[in-house]
């Protein structure tokens, strides 16, 4: 069979996923999202300016564990030094990591198993939550590229006839160390690593790979622990910090705070979660690959299935703590270690179907059941896939004249990938058309133009911006300009030469994620407190007013949560 068209199909898939990812990045960017990306950005700025220091927690209290992930903010510091601090340089590293995931999948299987590569790239790269994490400085997509590289190094370094096993063993150790410096959940792969090691030991194979991996890994780990010993007097400081964090948050865990929900969490909750987030198709295609192992015995498929299975078991039943049992929170961004092996295993399932066309009927029924189970917008994904497989159950035939109906042809595989890509991309494409919920860029434009030295005075802002306004000034507080909460208006006294402003971001005041806990006031309530205002500039949903504090309304204080200024 001529494989060149299939290889070209995999390359075209890589281009499409890459362009779609970049388009999503720019069309949906919301600026700073929460405390995590703000802190990572601040650490990057400190690293870039030489003011970042390793420091212990002197009182044994909860401190920020994000400081212990230098591979998240270290590359961002280099970008800051090269291009300055802005939201694009802040989030370029997660974008590059996401694009790198697709590239690694193509390099791994683009020529060996092009349908596997294309299927995995589509399922992983067009998954909504993969794309959603491209434009926030969060560790998850950065960890994901290390997960793919670690598992790939283990696979390639152990292949029969591999003459550079020792070099791949070194790569394996270095990549896992980079993952450890990104996020601790690389530990999800540890059971699989141990299982592969025991299997190789039993078969007396790949000694050079494992010897080199152990040597390099031991050197890196001892050096890492030595650094903590020097700076914190505790070589296991990072582990102790994680345990203190779990202790601090134990009232919300499944043993103390949510004990009644533990049975559900350990039984059907993960399945509800995976179906609800759109991963049901990937799980189903991976099951198809498992069932087809006898028909097409493939060592690589077994490898990815085993890694996906062990990681899924850890995610389903594992604990975030060594001292107390607390299953991990079911959040989409917590699944990034699972996604690469799961999507690769699913890629083998798609390859098997493209070759034989078998199983379309049960795939259609299972996907239809998923659509009913989800009962949300995600049902569109499952419904579209169910319709395709239902039609293929009727129309696909090895003797069909039309190539799109005949398994094993280029047209059949291309249509399969087109349907999977189209249904998977529906949700992110929808969000690409929605208006901003933060108006970050509009707010930044007003601040850059009107609220810069030598101007002096006080800017009244919402409870969200008051804690991160320094980001708009390169994490430096602007001389002479002070930011205060709306509720602080009665306690502010200006001196001659100072001006008061009101910065009103209507997107922030109507953001569902903020109004649930932080923002408890409306635009009308804020404006009613400042009758003596004069509009200076307005961009989109963000307005800047000059204030006459002498005409401030004697209204009840604006409801506020959080620290007082």
């Amino acid at each position: 069979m001529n494989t060149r068209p299939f290889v070209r199909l995999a390359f075209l898939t890589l281009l499409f996923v890459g362009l779609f990812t970049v388009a999503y990045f720019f069309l949906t960017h919301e600026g700073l999202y929460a405390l995590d990306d703000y802190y990572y950005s601040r650490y990057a700025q400190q690293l870039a300016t030489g003011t970042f220091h390793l420091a212990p927690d002197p009182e044994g209290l909860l401190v920020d564990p994000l400081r212990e992930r230098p591979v998240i903010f270290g590359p961002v510091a280099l970008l800051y030094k090269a291009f300055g601090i802005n939201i694009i340089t802040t989030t370029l590293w997660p974008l590059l990591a996401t694009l790198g995931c697709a590239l690694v999948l193509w390099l791994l299987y683009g020529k060996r198993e092009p349908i596997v590569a294309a299927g995995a790239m589509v399922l992983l790269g067009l998954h909504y939550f993969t794309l959603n994490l491209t434009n926030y400085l969060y560790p998850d997509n950065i960890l994901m590229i290390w997960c793919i590289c670690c598992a790939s190094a283990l696979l390639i370094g152990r292949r029969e006839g591999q003459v550079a096993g020792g070099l791949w063993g070194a790569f394996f150790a270095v990549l896992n160390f980079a993952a450890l410096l990104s996020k601790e959940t690389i530990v999800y792969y540890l059971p699989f690593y141990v299982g592969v090691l025991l299997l190789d030991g039993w078969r007396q194979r790949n000694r050079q790979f494992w010897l080199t991996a152990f040597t390099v890994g031991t050197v890196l780990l001892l050096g890492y622990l030595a650094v903590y010993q020097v700076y914190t007097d505790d070589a296991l400081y990072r582990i102790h910090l994680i345990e203190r964090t779990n202790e601090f948050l134990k009232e919300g865990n499944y043993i103390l705070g949510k004990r009644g929900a533990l049975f559900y969490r350990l039984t059907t909750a993960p399945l509800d979660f995976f179906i609800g987030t759109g991963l049901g198709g990937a799980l189903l295609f991976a099951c198809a690959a498992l069932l087809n192992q006898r028909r097409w015995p493939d060592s690589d498929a077994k490898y990815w299935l085993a890694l996906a299975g062990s990681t899924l078991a850890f995610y389903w039943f594992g604990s975030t703590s060594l001292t107390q049992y607390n299953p991990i929170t079911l959040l989409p961004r917590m699944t990034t270690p699972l996604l690469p092996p799961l999507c690769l295993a699913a890629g083998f399932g798609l390859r098997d179907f493209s070759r034989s066309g078998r199983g379309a009927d049960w795939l259609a029924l299972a996907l239809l059941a998923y659509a009913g189970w989800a009962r949300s917008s995600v049902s569109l994904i499952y419904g579209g896939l169910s319709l395709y497989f239902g039609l293929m159950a009727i129309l696909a035939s090895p003797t069909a004249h039309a190539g799109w109906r005949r398994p094993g042809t280029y047209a059949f595989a291309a249509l399969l990938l087109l349907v999977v890509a189209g249904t998977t991309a529906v949700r992110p494409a929808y969000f690409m058309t929605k208006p901003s919920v933060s108006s970050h860029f509009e707010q930044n434009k007003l601040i850059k133009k009107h609220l810069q030295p030598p101007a002096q005075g006080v800017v009244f802002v919402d409870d969200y911006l008051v804690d991160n306004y320094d980001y708009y000034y390169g994490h430096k507080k602007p001389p002479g300009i002070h930011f205060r909460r709306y509720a602080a208006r009665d306690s502010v006294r200006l001196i001659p030469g100072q001006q008061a402003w009101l910065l009103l971001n209507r997107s922030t005041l109507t953001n569902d994620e903020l109004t649930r806990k932080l923002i408890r006031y409306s635009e009308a309530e804020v404006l009613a407190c400042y009758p003596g205002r004069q509009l200076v500039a307005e961009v989109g949903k963000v307005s800047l007013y000059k204030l006459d504090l002498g005409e401030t309304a004697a209204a009840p204080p604006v409801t506020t949560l959080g620290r007082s200024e």
Side-chain angles (χ1 to χ4, degrees), residues 223-536:
Y224 182 60
L225 296 178
V227 168
Y228 274 108
Q229 183 63 41
V230 169
Y231 284 96
T232 69
D233 293 323
D234 181 5
L236 301 179
Y237 174 75
R238 189 175 178 187
I239 295 177
H240 295 153
L241 178 60
I242 294 171
E243 290 301 331
R244 283 200 297 273
T245 303
N246 277 286
E247 181 66 22
F248 183 82
L249 300 174
K250 66 182 180 181
E251 290 187 3
N253 69 24
Y254 281 92
I255 297 299
L256 184 62
K258 298 185 290 184
R259 182 174 297 180
L262 182 61
F263 179 77
Y264 170 66
R265 170 61 182 83
L266 297 178
T267 52
T268 60
L271 188 59
D272 284 344
F273 167 75
F274 288 124
I275 293 175
T277 53
L279 289 173
L283 287 170
L284 195 61
F285 300 143
C287 289
L290 180 63
L291 295 174
N292 283 322
Q293 279 302 290
R294 290 184 179 180
R295 187 174 294 113
W296 287 299
D298 192 307
S299 59
D300 281 9
K302 291 178 181 178
Y303 178 89
W304 296 112
L305 283 165
L307 178 55
S310 65
T311 308
L312 180 61
F314 201 111
Y315 190 86
W316 209 300
F317 303 109
S319 173
T320 62
S321 171
L322 297 174
T323 59
Q324 52 183 299
Y325 183 65
N326 184 39
I328 194 167
T329 306
L330 293 176
L331 291 175
R333 67 186 185 90
M334 299 297 185
T335 62
T336 45
L338 172 65
L339 290 181
L342 176 64
C343 291
L344 277 164
F348 280 97
L350 292 173
R351 179 207 64 177
D352 296 345
F353 179 78
S354 73
R355 287 179 178 179
S356 70
R358 296 180 179 178
D361 48 357
W362 73 265
L363 286 170
L365 290 174
L367 288 164
L368 187 61
Y370 282 175
W373 190 321
R375 287 180 296 178
S376 66
S377 59
V378 179
S379 298
L380 291 174
I381 299 175
Y382 302 130
L385 288 172
S386 176
L387 178 61
Y388 165 77
F389 284 107
L391 289 174
M392 286 301 103
I394 300 171
L395 301 176
S397 171
T399 59
H401 291 290
W404 64 272
R405 294 174 52 194
R406 190 168 69 250
T409 64
Y410 173 83
F412 190 90
L415 179 61
L416 170 63
L417 291 171
L418 181 63
V419 170
V420 174
T423 53
T424 307
V426 164
R427 193 178 186 189
Y430 167 73
F431 279 95
M432 289 164 68
T433 65
K434 293 188 67 175
S436 170
V437 298
S438 71
S439 295
H440 168 88
F441 295 97
E442 294 85 347
Q443 184 168 270
N444 182 62
K445 186 175 182 179
L446 285 179
I447 291 175
K448 293 297 184 186
K449 185 174 182 179
H450 299 282
L451 299 177
Q452 298 290 328
Q456 293 190 1
V458 176
V459 187
F460 293 101
V461 297
D462 55 74
D463 288 74
Y464 177 70
L465 181 59
V466 76
D467 286 327
N468 60 38
Y469 72 87
D470 61 316
Y471 176 81
Y472 294 85
Y473 298 91
H475 289 288
K476 298 176 182 178
K477 294 189 176 182
I481 301 178
H482 306 279
F483 284 70
R484 295 291 184 265
R485 287 182 170 83
Y486 294 143
R489 64 193 183 282
D490 294 331
S491 62
V492 172
R493 297 293 179 267
L494 301 179
I495 62 176
Q498 287 187 331
Q499 175 64 53
W501 294 275
L502 171 68
L503 183 61
L504 189 72
N505 187 330
R506 295 172 181 83
S507 294
T508 298
L509 299 187
T510 55
N511 187 330
D512 291 341
E513 295 191 16
L514 296 177
T515 55
R516 283 197 296 266
K517 292 184 179 181
L518 186 65
I519 304 297
R520 298 294 181 89
Y521 38 82
S522 67
E523 173 190 353
E525 290 173 326
V526 174
L527 292 178
C529 296
Y530 297 95
R533 64 183 185 275
Q534 178 183 355
L535 183 65
V536 175

Side-chain angles (χ1 to χ4, degrees), residues 104-320:
V104 172
L105 292 175
W106 180 76
L107 291 173
L108 189 62
Y109 286 114
K111 293 182 180 180
R112 292 168 57 93
E113 291 283 3
I115 302 303
V116 173
M121 284 188 285
V122 164
L123 291 169
L124 179 65
L126 300 183
H127 178 50
Y128 169 70
F129 290 105
T130 297
L131 291 165
N132 180 253
L133 289 167
T134 59
N135 45 25
Y136 302 114
L137 185 54
Y138 271 48
D140 307 282
N141 281 17
I142 298 169
L143 172 68
M144 189 160 63
I145 191 171
W146 300 128
C147 288
I148 296 176
C149 292
C150 290
S152 299
L154 181 59
L155 174 68
I156 296 171
R158 297 173 53 258
R159 275 179 178 159
E160 188 174 349
Q162 178 61 256
V163 295
L167 184 60
W168 282 105
F171 286 159
F172 176 69
V174 171
L175 291 167
N176 275 282
F177 186 67
L180 180 64
L181 298 184
S182 299
K183 194 175 181 181
E184 303 80 6
T185 45
I186 186 62
V187 74
Y188 286 14
Y189 282 11
L190 184 59
F192 179 75
Y193 292 164
V194 173
V196 174
L197 172 62
L198 294 175
L199 181 63
D200 281 353
W202 176 264
R203 295 177 177 176
Q204 296 185 349
R205 298 193 317 185
N206 304 307
R207 291 182 180 179
Q208 186 179 15
F209 175 91
W210 288 111
L211 180 61
T212 307
F214 267 116
T215 302
V216 175
T218 300
V219 171
L220 291 172
L221 189 58
L222 288 177
Y224 182 60
L225 296 178
V227 168
Y228 274 108
Q229 183 63 41
V230 169
Y231 284 96
T232 69
D233 293 323
D234 181 5
L236 301 179
Y237 174 75
R238 189 175 178 187
I239 295 177
H240 295 153
L241 178 60
I242 294 171
E243 290 301 331
R244 283 200 297 273
T245 303
N246 277 286
E247 181 66 22
F248 183 82
L249 300 174
K250 66 182 180 181
E251 290 187 3
N253 69 24
Y254 281 92
I255 297 299
L256 184 62
K258 298 185 290 184
R259 182 174 297 180
L262 182 61
F263 179 77
Y264 170 66
R265 170 61 182 83
L266 297 178
T267 52
T268 60
L271 188 59
D272 284 344
F273 167 75
F274 288 124
I275 293 175
T277 53
L279 289 173
L283 287 170
L284 195 61
F285 300 143
C287 289
L290 180 63
L291 295 174
N292 283 322
Q293 279 302 290
R294 290 184 179 180
R295 187 174 294 113
W296 287 299
D298 192 307
S299 59
D300 281 9
K302 291 178 181 178
Y303 178 89
W304 296 112
L305 283 165
L307 178 55
S310 65
T311 308
L312 180 61
F314 201 111
Y315 190 86
W316 209 300
F317 303 109
S319 173
T320 62

Side-chain angles (χ1 to χ4, degrees), residues 537-550:
E538 187 171 71
V539 181
K541 293 186 176 182
V542 186
S543 300
L544 179 67
Y545 301 91
K546 281 187 178 180
L547 298 177
D548 182 354
L549 292 185

